[in-house]
Amino acid sequence: MAAFAAVGLSVAALTACSTGGTGTRDEGAARNEPVPQASPAPSTTPVKEQQVDAVALVKKDPKVSATVKADLKPCSGDEYPVDVSYGNLTGAARNDVVVNVLTCSDAIGVGSYVYRPEGSSYKNVFQTEVPASYAEIDRDGLMVTTQTYEKDDSVALPSGEDIKLYNWSNDAFVQVKAWSTDYSSAGEAQPAPEEN
């Protein structure tokens, strides 16, 4: 994101250039206020991180299944079906990367991965390849939602969802909460089935 500057009594609007990121670092419109004196403490200024090539990260990851890698192809042109978000989930020096691989036709999740920065590379510290799952950052935790289907459900109309919340503890993600929602019922959450 290009920086904005204002000098003198009249403020000129400058055009900001987007780098094509996920939008998590967009700062909104510039304010028409005087610019405060620059702070001598650089540690208080957020540093823009290098965007990660999520497709290369997934394809080079030996933990990712061959099926997901084979299906990870552009939907059109060079547009890959991946959603990428950045956040501090593991307490690392730089942001962790959450990657969801989706289908082109229905945008249904086929694999979700969390990569933790280690030096100049990234390590896979969490993954799920359960169909119709999607991982996202929820405050300081990782939330994984899995759509559930009955026999005659269409892809667009699942019967419900299972949600699991994970926190980082002792160098691993640990499940701390789980619940289920049946869309056909009154909407009351039920305990999620335990994983084997």
Side-chain angles (χ1 to χ4, degrees):
M1 178 74 68
F4 289 94
V7 179
L9 296 175
S10 63
V11 178
L14 300 176
T15 304
C17 298
S18 174
T19 59
T22 61
T24 57
R25 295 187 181 277
D26 291 345
E27 297 176 5
R31 297 181 185 178
N32 193 9
E33 300 174 357
V35 176
Q37 190 69 23
S39 170
S43 60
T44 60
T45 304
V47 177
K48 185 178 174 80
E49 287 196 38
Q50 176 87 24
Q51 296 291 313
V52 172
D53 184 343
V55 174
L57 203 58
V58 169
K59 287 194 170 185
K60 291 178 183 177
D61 186 350
K63 292 184 179 180
V64 175
S65 72
T67 302
V68 170
K69 289 181 181 179
D71 290 342
L72 184 51
K73 298 174 181 176
C75 296
S76 63
D78 59 354
E79 299 277 334
Y80 282 84
V82 294
D83 280 345
V84 184
S85 55
Y86 302 85
N88 193 334
L89 292 167
T90 68
R94 294 181 289 122
N95 278 337
D96 304 295
V97 184
V98 180
V99 181
N100 286 285
V101 179
L102 314 169
T103 61
C104 286
S105 57
D106 303 305
I108 300 295
V110 295
S112 300
Y113 312 91
V114 178
Y115 292 96
R116 186 175 197 260
E118 290 193 351
S120 61
S121 62
Y122 287 85
K123 178 183 179 183
N124 180 335
V125 292
F126 178 90
Q127 76 176 53
T128 180
E129 294 180 341
V130 175
S133 290
Y134 190 89
E136 58 190 316
I137 299 168
D138 180 61
R139 297 186 185 91
D140 297 336
L142 178 70
M143 185 168 68
V144 179
T145 303
T146 304
Q147 302 296 320
T148 57
Y149 296 87
E150 297 295 337
K151 182 179 178 182
D152 297 325
D153 289 344
S154 70
V155 172
L157 296 171
S159 293
E161 64 183 13
D162 294 334
I163 301 175
K164 296 179 181 180
L165 186 64
Y166 299 84
N167 284 343
W168 184 256
S169 178
N170 297 321
D171 295 327
F173 280 103
V174 178
Q175 182 180 310
V176 293
K177 191 174 181 183
W179 64 97
S180 295
T181 300
D182 182 355
Y183 297 154
S184 63
S185 71
E188 294 184 0
Q190 302 293 330
E194 292 295 326
E195 284 187 344
N196 291 328

